[in-house]
Amino acid sequence: MKSSIQARILFTVLCCTTSIASATKLTEAVSSGELQQVQLLINKGADINQAAENHATPLLIAAQKGHLEVVKLLLAAKAGVNIARSDGSTPLLMASENGHHEVVKLLLAAKADIDAVRKDGDTPLFKASQKGHLEVVKLLLADKADVNKAEVNGVTPLLMAAQNGHPAVVKLLLAAKADVNQAAKNGITPLLMASQKGHSDVVVLLLAAKADVNQAAKNGIAPLLMASQKGHSDVVELLLAAKADVNQAAKNGVTPLYLASQKGHIKIVELLLATKVDVNAFIHVSGEGHITARGIAILMGHNKIVELLEKHGAKK
């Protein structure tokens, strides 16, 4: 009896060891894109859903690396198309993030969950938009991906595409009815982010889609103020043409003119002075009292800006 039990235990251990070894070989073959080896291991009965240490399945690895023919083999062998890695990443998300549009097409045809959410809230569309993978974005939108689904901080695909300066992706998302004014949890909008980064081509698209030119973040910073601070004169011109409030201040009181004067952006100061800007608006600084745009320009040594401000009525 004892020897019989020992034999069964040994048989179980050997089978388990063989299964693990086979799965490991499959993972290695998939990762390297060795099509014939993958087919051989599948034929020998390797577990096609056996996950690696981070719970990545062979299909996820193949999708991530863009091994199209390997993905075809695994799907034909009924690999789980929605089995996620430990962080919640699915094969579709990884293929989308890495721009493998032919793999994305296969996974969608295999009924991959198009809006599957990773633990950080990212979706396939979010990652494709972030990276600027135009063909992938087209495929996901055509398959009815949720265009306004945000990640955990409230950042949408449109906001991310605007931030990273992908105008072609922005155009697609807007055509798919992305909410042009949907803000992140901190109140930042796509227009504010594009203005901060100086992506004038994106700003043009967002304004044409009726973005709120004066919508501010929770700290009161609006697109014009941000563009003025960063020195993006082309964006400032666009925002002014769209009727941005030239005197709109952040919660700490700073205005576009104040920040442009502080940073020495003389062209932007000129643009702002050509409008109905309050040249004597001030902020209160602890220990310093009230400081105007002229005052901060003096402190920063921007003498030409000081002269400009004085010519336009700045009080001495």
Side-chain angles (χ1 to χ4, degrees), residues 6 16 20 26 31 68 98 160 259 263 302 314:
Q6 288 176 333
C16 182
I20 293 172
L26 179 60
S31 183
L68 183 64
N98 289 288
M160 188 53 69
L259 288 177
K263 297 293 183 179
H302 302 312

Side-chain angles (χ1 to χ4, degrees), residues 54-70:
N54 63 353
H55 299 146
T57 63
L59 180 60
L60 188 147
I61 294 168
Q64 179 178 10
K65 290 181 174 288
H67 297 319
L68 183 64
E69 296 304 319
V70 174

